[in-house]
Amino acid sequence: LRDQDDWVSALAAEALGEMGGSADSALPALVRSLKHSTPQVRANAVEAIGKFGPAAESAIPAVERTADDEDGGVRLKAVQA
């Protein structure tokens, strides 16, 4: 998630989402990614958090803040999460 290549970071977030709650140790890194400068990284991170289900309860405030993101695609993913 901290790769210099934004595309790699976005794909990492997406892969963690596919793992769901079994990747719950990655939750703090995904929450940090909600502040990434690239909208696709933020969108993939918030979508991944949503796939964690109850294991992501601690991330709810960050997801709610992301619903006010400047990017419409990110806002949509936050609301869906």
Side-chain angles (χ1 to χ4, degrees), residues 1 5-18 40-41 44-45:
L1 292 172
D5 185 330
D6 293 341
W7 183 244
V8 172
S9 295
L11 290 175
E14 183 178 347
L16 289 168
E18 293 304 315
Q40 188 62 50
V41 175
N44 285 9

Side-chain angles (χ1 to χ4, degrees):
L1 292 172
R2 292 184 180 183
D3 197 275
Q4 291 181 350
D5 185 330
D6 293 341
W7 183 244
V8 172
S9 295
L11 290 175
E14 183 178 347
L16 289 168
E18 293 304 315
M19 294 174 66
S22 65
D24 63 347
S25 63
L27 191 60
L30 286 167
V31 170
R32 281 191 304 273
S33 293
L34 297 178
K35 296 180 180 181
H36 197 280
S37 61
T38 303
Q40 188 62 50
V41 175
R42 296 193 307 271
N44 285 9
V46 77
E47 183 176 23
I49 291 169
K51 291 180 178 180
F52 279 36
E57 184 177 349
S58 64
I60 290 173
V63 171
E64 289 174 342
R65 285 190 300 274
T66 305
D68 290 329
D69 194 274
E70 63 188 34
D71 184 86
V74 177
R75 289 192 306 269
L76 175 64
K77 294 292 185 184
V79 170
Q80 291 173 337

